[in-house]
Amino acid sequence: MARPITRPPHDGATHPPERRGPSARLVSVLLALFVMLGGLILSPSVAQAATLGTGYGDENLFIGAYSSHGRQAYCMDLGASSPWGSTNPPSLETALDGLTRQQLAELNYVMGRWGESRDPNITSAVAMFVWDVADHDPYVAYGGDARLLTRVPASQQAIVMANLGAIREAARTEAVADPSLALAVTMADQYQGTLTIGTTPGSLTGPVTLTDATFADGSRTKALGAGTYPIIGTPAVGVPEYRISAVMSSQAAGFGAGVDLFYTPGAQRILATASFQPLTAQASSPVIPLDFQPEIGTQVVTKFVQQGDQLTDRLAVTVTKGTWIVVNGKPVPVVADGTLYGPLDEQPSEADAPPVGTPVAGRVQATLTGAGTVVSPGITAPESGFYTWVWQIDKKKQGSNAKYLADFFTDRYGRVAETNVVPFQPEAVSKANGKLVKPGDEVTDTITVSSTNGAWLKQGGTHIPVVFEGTAYQVPGTLPPVEGTQIPVDAVALGTVQVTATGPGTYTSPKATVLSGGFVTWVWQVRKSAQPEWVRPFLAADWQDQYGINVETHSVRWPLTITSEMREYNVHEGGRAFDKITVTGFPDNHPDFTGDGYWQPDTKTLTHTVYGPFASDTELTTDLDLASAPVLTSIETPAKNGVYNIGYDDTERIEPTEPGYYVIVTSFAGDDRVQPYISSPGDIWERFFVPGAKQPVSVITQATPTALVGEEFEDTALVQGTTIPDGSYLVFRAYGPQSGDAAPVCESPFFTSKRVPVTQAGLYRSGSTSVDQPGNVYWVETLYDKAGSVLSQGRCGAPGETTVVTEQPEQVTVSTKAVPTVQLGDPAHDTAIITGKPPAGATLTFEAYRQDGQTPVCTTDTRVFATDPVTVEGPGEVTSVPVIFEKVGTYYWTETLKDRDGTVIHRGLCGAPGETTTVTTIPPSTRLAQTGAGGWIMPLGIGAGLAALAGAIALLVGRRLAPARGLKNEEGEEPSSIHDLFDETEA
């Protein structure tokens, strides 16, 4: 059931139409058939008859809308006949029968809003409104609303009147004679702006399309009404400027001063809403000049760069505002300035700008033509250090292109990613602490370290630590090393020490012990592989200093060993004394070294000084003041290994003129290769006595002062007296070993010598013994007459009568004593004395080298003999197998001790003291002594000589029958020199 409305009726409301009478339906059918037939027979025509539309009544009396040309239209001529004729298509009329523009606008508005309704209560109200406005006077004269309302069923009249009232109010307030659209584009910056839409009336809406911009939701087209809307500019990529435009259209149906008029000749006119064209509007922004902001984020191409190489930066170019502008088809070039700060000794802290005074390594420029990666020009790395890049884009430097840049750009200083590191080269200059040292000394080296290519770099404020390794090498041979870059293959590494340098400065190495004579030179190095992993990239390269630098070399001066024995103890007044002095310990080429400017030349001579007479032998002590002691004479011999018989030559006579005690003291001033030496004035072997008044029988003893566990030692007694009872004898007893801190105890000897016959004043030996544990061994000697009565007895713990025995050292040392002289055809051998504790499985080999010149040469070319490896069980002596050298000459021995893996523990030096065998054709000559003693020694000497001669002949005969042993000569022939010698003896 229809109801009245108090607001403009909704145009979607419908109401069932009133039923029409039979005659009306018949007329309608006939009319329709006529129209159809006319369309088939006649030519097409745009005119067509109107029909009843939505409303009440029939052809006789009707209120509501007519239907024509597919639209609903309303009568405007109240008294005219219905438009049943041929109704023309509508025409737009903006002036009609004197109606005002407002009236036309109201008619247009009402028909546009409700004219197409299918509700007869609405269309009836619209029809009444149209008649009232378009044909007002007749409408009033006809009876107005009340009269026309009678065409509406009574039950619906109230509703129709309510609708009519609402329509009239809406027409009065909402009809617009001149509808309009207005657009405005306003920009806040180059990209952000607003679109303002103005409409009349305010309810108009329609699609809006943007060009080079979007709405906030990203769309370019949107249905909008009046209001202000944010827009975002979207210029084409690379354009230097652009303009935003907006276009809007709106149908504006029902708005405007006009109506569509349907004309039917001879019948009343009907009206419908005006068919105005849609309203349109457009607007554009001013031309918007564009700029862009390039920025640079960088990463160095290579973090660590060697000195002399190129420092480059990889520029990651981005655009943080706009897009890279293109002019005339080419990107705008932008010049970027790169400044490389450095060298710095550590990574700088990140900051907006470098500190004042920061050094600059160089400047470069890079031309940028778009986003992407660019590698900068390089700057040669001048020295070690940290180098950090800072990039800047200066708008003022861009010339005519400056307008395209939004602003300046400056990189931050000290970014880690923008920092190159040029590694530093740590090196050392060293000086051996102790130019002249002796075997067993602990030596050190002082190194002054620095970076030779610039700053010593830091991490976290502290210098990067560097491990320096110093290796002490035993220099081959007995001469100073020759400086060079290569370490000789036969140089033996004695040990390696480490110094961790925490920055430039001076450091002292850990101690190293030098065990044998010769030259020891330090070689220092820095190995990257020996550094902590994090340190390695900061070091430029491995480094090693020269081998054999003189100031990095110690001379471990050879100790001399001089043994001597007076030919006799008693020398009568006016007679002559004779001494046999055996000298060992000199390098074989001593005293031939003439110096090299740093190392001084060899001292040429030994001095043998005869001090005396002394009234008592008690004055002959180790601490005798030689400066004030009386001197009988002085004799010099070459400072060279050998046996020297002094006192035989008339130029070196030893002739005591007064009774008393005399002692021969041998001294050597020392040089850069050999230690100074002076024999003890208390040495009983170097005494002789010129009797005066009768001398009582007495005994003075001198034991071996020190020994190692397992080493042999002995005691020596000097028996003095004018008359030694016939049948006298000595017995030596050894006690211990005991703690050196306890009082000496001599109760049960572990060693008792055989009876040693004493026939005259002189020196007598106990024989050797050894012990297997450390401690003090106390000697006591007893002189008996033939009846066993004690003539003299030593005191337990007496001075000079103690041998201190110590443990074998952990560190292995090797000394040697080759057979010094042999006759051609006699066997020779070498003996190694091993102290310390050699490792299990250690082996020892001996080699012999023939010498042809003054300089010791031990190479494969001069080697004539080599032994198989001999297993070393422990400390002690190891003797090589004998060898018969086939030529007269000088032969040098070397010994090599290796562990079970073949690593060299010790290698003897070519020409080392005690390592020379001289092969002669005849026995060495000896000078006969002339003494005041009796001739008791001559028969013994002749007998011994005969025995030796017989043995030599037998040996030669035996060897002639046996194949010659040894090596072949250079031509591959068997040696013939021994046979030649044998032939000579036969002749």
Side-chain angles (χ1 to χ4, degrees):
M1 180 177 181
R3 294 187 296 262
I5 58 173
T6 58
R7 57 183 178 81
H10 192 278
D11 57 5
T14 60
H15 193 279
E18 288 288 325
R19 292 178 57 89
R20 300 176 182 176
S23 57
R25 288 197 297 271
L26 179 60
V27 172
S28 297
V29 171
L30 292 175
L31 182 60
L33 290 174
F34 175 78
V35 170
M36 292 173 62
L37 291 173
L40 292 173
I41 299 172
L42 302 176
S43 61
S45 172
V46 295
Q48 58 182 256
T51 61
L52 296 178
T54 303
Y56 292 110
D58 54 22
E59 291 84 352
N60 298 317
L61 186 63
F62 179 77
I63 187 170
Y66 287 86
S67 179
S68 179
H69 291 84
R71 298 170 63 186
Q72 292 198 140
Y74 295 87
C75 291
M76 69 167 289
D77 300 316
L78 184 58
S81 61
S82 297
W84 305 124
S86 178
T87 304
N88 293 321
S91 61
L92 176 63
E93 302 295 337
T94 56
L96 182 62
D97 294 356
L99 294 175
T100 66
R101 288 176 55 78
Q102 180 60 30
Q103 289 174 321
L104 289 173
E106 290 178 2
L107 288 171
N108 187 27
Y109 175 75
V110 170
M111 290 185 293
R113 185 169 181 182
W114 294 288
E116 296 294 329
S117 175
R118 292 298 183 263
D119 184 350
N121 290 332
I122 294 176
T123 57
S124 297
V126 171
M128 294 171 66
F129 177 81
V130 171
W131 274 325
D132 185 24
V133 173
D135 202 14
H136 179 68
D137 291 340
Y139 181 80
V140 173
Y142 184 75
D145 295 342
R147 175 80 180 270
L148 286 172
L149 189 61
T150 60
R151 300 183 184 187
V152 177
S155 61
Q156 302 299 315
Q157 290 179 0
I159 296 172
V160 171
M161 285 305 297
N163 288 342
L164 179 59
I167 287 171
R168 285 173 173 161
E169 179 60 24
R172 182 181 66 81
T173 59
E174 297 180 20
V176 175
D178 296 299
S180 63
L181 295 178
L183 303 180
V185 176
T186 304
M187 299 303 294
D189 56 29
Q190 292 169 312
Y191 300 95
Q192 304 297 322
T194 56
L195 171 65
T196 300
I197 301 175
T199 64
T200 302
S203 60
L204 291 181
T205 62
V208 181
T209 299
L210 299 176
T211 300
D212 286 340
T214 66
F215 294 102
D217 62 0
S219 63
R220 293 188 180 274
T221 299
K222 208 173 185 68
L224 300 173
T228 299
Y229 304 93
I231 58 174
I232 302 167
T234 57
V237 174
V239 297
E241 58 186 28
Y242 77 116
R243 185 194 299 267
I244 295 175
S245 61
V247 176
M248 181 178 182
S249 65
S250 178
Q251 293 298 324
F255 293 106
V259 293
D260 275 5
L261 175 67
F262 295 79
Y263 178 71
T264 303
Q268 71 173 292
R269 297 168 294 177
I270 54 178
L271 303 178
T273 186
S275 56
F276 287 118
Q277 290 297 315
L279 295 177
T280 60
Q282 64 178 19
S284 296
S285 68
V287 172
I288 304 169
L290 290 177
D291 55 23
F292 68 104
Q293 184 59 60
E295 292 192 1
I296 302 171
T298 69
Q299 172 78 48
V300 292
V301 174
T302 303
K303 180 71 174 178
F304 292 92
V305 177
Q306 291 295 325
Q307 181 184 14
D309 289 347
Q310 294 296 296
L311 299 166
T312 56
D313 204 8
R314 181 180 287 110
L315 284 62
V317 183
T318 59
V319 178
T320 58
K321 177 190 175 186
T323 59
W324 204 286
I325 290 176
V326 176
V327 177
N328 297 326
K330 295 181 180 180
V332 171
V334 175
V335 176
D337 296 303
T339 301
L340 184 61
Y341 290 93
L344 308 169
D345 60 2
E346 65 179 317
Q347 173 68 47
S349 299
E350 190 170 330
D352 290 335
V356 175
T358 301
V360 174
R363 293 181 169 87
V364 296
Q365 283 189 336
T367 299
L368 313 179
T369 57
T373 301
V374 176
V375 175
S376 73
I379 295 174
T380 301
E383 60 183 81
S384 64
F386 289 81
Y387 295 82
T388 188
W389 290 91
V390 174
W391 287 91
Q392 183 183 64
I393 297 175
D394 188 345
K395 187 173 180 177
K396 294 179 180 179
K397 293 183 178 181
Q398 307 306 315
S400 61
N401 292 328
K403 62 185 177 182
Y404 299 121
L405 294 187
D407 204 347
F408 293 83
F409 167 78
T410 299
D411 200 5
R412 282 179 63 79
Y413 167 82
R415 293 180 64 242
V416 173
E418 294 188 60
T419 301
N420 290 112
V421 179
V422 177
F424 69 103
Q425 183 60 66
E427 295 185 10
V429 176
S430 75
K431 183 178 182 181
N433 296 325
K435 178 181 179 181
L436 306 177
V437 297
K438 61 183 184 298
D441 281 355
E442 291 181 326
V443 297
T444 60
D445 203 18
T446 296
I447 59 173
T448 300
V449 302
S450 63
S451 172
T452 58
N453 69 333
W456 188 301
L457 303 185
K458 296 178 181 179
Q459 279 284 76
T462 59
H463 288 102
I464 293 173
V466 177
V467 176
F468 285 79
E469 296 173 305
T471 300
Y473 288 93
Q474 180 76 56
V475 177
T478 58
L479 294 175
V482 177
E483 184 174 336
T485 58
Q486 298 298 317
I487 298 171
V489 294
D490 51 351
V492 177
L494 302 179
T496 299
V497 298
Q498 286 188 341
V499 171
T500 299
T502 54
T506 300
Y507 300 84
T508 299
S509 73
K511 297 176 180 178
T513 302
V514 290
L515 299 177
S516 59
F519 288 91
V520 173
T521 189
W522 290 90
V523 176
W524 286 91
Q525 65 175 340
V526 173
R527 294 183 300 120
K528 294 176 74 172
S529 61
Q531 314 300 320
E533 189 170 352
W534 71 270
V535 172
R536 297 172 191 173
F538 293 96
L539 304 187
D542 290 349
W543 167 84
Q544 179 176 295
D545 68 354
Q546 295 275 84
Y547 167 87
I549 298 173
N550 51 26
V551 296
E552 292 191 45
T553 303
H554 305 277
S555 174
V556 187
R557 296 198 289 180
W558 298 97
L560 289 181
T561 300
I562 298 178
T563 59
S564 61
E565 185 174 354
M566 297 301 297
R567 179 170 168 176
E568 59 278 316
Y569 179 68
N570 287 330
V571 178
H572 63 76
E573 186 174 349
R576 292 173 66 178
F578 304 93
D579 197 7
K580 179 182 179 181
I581 299 174
T582 301
V583 179
T584 60
F586 282 114
D588 192 71
N589 54 9
H590 199 280
D592 300 332
F593 178 58
T594 57
D596 61 7
Y598 181 78
W599 301 105
Q600 297 302 307
D602 291 343
T603 299
K604 301 297 184 182
T605 59
L606 289 162
T607 301
H608 314 279
T609 303
V610 184
Y611 291 94
F614 296 93
S616 169
D617 62 356
T618 58
E619 296 181 64
L620 301 179
T621 61
T622 301
D623 55 358
L624 175 66
D625 182 8
L626 297 179
S628 60
V631 176
L632 175 64
T633 188
S634 179
I635 299 170
E636 288 190 346
T637 58
K640 189 173 182 66
N641 296 327
V643 178
Y644 299 94
N645 296 309
I646 64 172
Y648 293 90
D649 194 281
D650 286 343
T651 62
E652 54 183 38
R653 298 166 67 92
I654 303 174
E655 295 181 294
T657 58
E658 299 179 41
Y661 294 90
Y662 293 82
V663 65
I664 298 179
V665 175
T666 298
S667 63
F668 176 68
D671 54 36
D672 280 1
R673 295 203 294 161
V674 181
Q675 299 176 30
Y677 175 86
I678 185 167
S679 64
S680 171
D683 186 358
I684 61 176
W685 293 93
E686 283 294 90
R687 298 180 187 179
F688 65 89
F689 175 64
V690 178
K694 184 176 181 178
Q695 182 186 22
V697 175
S698 64
V699 181
I700 300 172
T701 54
Q702 182 173 300
T704 303
T706 60
L708 297 173
V709 170
E711 279 188 342
E712 293 186 339
F713 53 93
E714 64 177 2
D715 195 12
T716 302
L718 171 61
V719 180
Q720 304 176 106
T722 305
T723 303
I724 306 297
D726 292 338
S728 297
Y729 62 91
L730 278 166
V731 175
F732 296 86
R733 296 176 177 86
Y735 301 87
Q738 304 172 24
S739 170
D741 296 330
V745 176
C746 298
E747 294 178 349
S748 300
F750 70 87
F751 169 80
T752 302
S753 72
K754 296 179 181 180
R755 292 185 180 186
V756 180
V758 178
T759 59
Q760 64 178 15
L763 295 165
Y764 298 89
R765 285 189 169 92
S766 65
S768 298
T769 186
S770 63
V771 293
D772 58 4
Q773 56 184 317
N776 285 4
V777 173
Y778 300 109
W779 292 90
V780 176
E781 84 293 342
T782 305
L783 178 64
Y784 297 93
D785 64 16
K786 65 180 178 181
S789 299
V790 175
L791 298 176
S792 175
Q793 186 171 29
R795 177 172 56 84
C796 182
E801 280 292 85
T802 302
T803 299
V804 178
V805 180
T806 57
E807 287 279 13
Q808 290 280 348
E810 290 292 331
Q811 199 159 13
V812 177
T813 61
V814 182
S815 59
T816 53
K817 51 180 182 181
V819 175
T821 305
V822 296
Q823 188 175 350
L824 184 64
D826 285 346
H829 65 266
D830 193 12
T831 299
I833 301 97
I834 300 174
T835 59
K837 298 178 180 179
T843 59
L844 187 70
T845 55
F846 296 88
E847 296 168 291
Y849 302 85
R850 176 176 168 78
Q851 302 302 300
D852 293 323
Q854 296 298 315
T855 302
V857 178
C858 297
T859 65
T860 54
D861 294 335
T862 61
R863 186 174 63 193
V864 296
F865 174 71
T867 69
D868 293 330
V870 177
T871 301
V872 177
E873 303 295 343
E877 293 189 358
V878 179
T879 300
S880 72
V881 296
V883 59
I884 297 176
F885 295 120
E886 298 182 350
K887 292 183 180 181
V888 172
T890 301
Y891 295 82
Y892 291 144
W893 292 85
T894 65
E895 73 290 344
T896 303
L897 181 66
K898 298 181 179 180
D899 65 16
R900 70 191 329 154
D901 298 324
T903 301
V904 174
I905 302 173
H906 164 86
R907 179 181 287 131
L909 301 180
C910 184
E915 283 290 82
T916 304
T917 296
T918 302
V919 180
T920 64
T921 56
I922 58 175
S925 63
T926 56
R927 290 177 283 188
L928 297 178
Q930 298 177 13
T931 71
W936 64 273
I937 202 166
M938 287 297 291
L940 177 61
I942 293 171
L946 290 173
L949 177 60
I953 293 172
L955 183 61
L956 284 172
V957 172
R959 288 191 180 129
R960 187 180 185 189
L961 299 176
R965 293 186 296 166
L967 302 178
K968 296 181 179 181
N969 61 21
E970 295 178 355
E971 290 75 22
E973 301 172 347
E974 296 292 339
S976 60
S977 55
I978 294 177
H979 300 292
D980 293 341
L981 177 62
F982 188 73
D983 292 340
E984 292 173 5
T985 61
E986 288 184 332

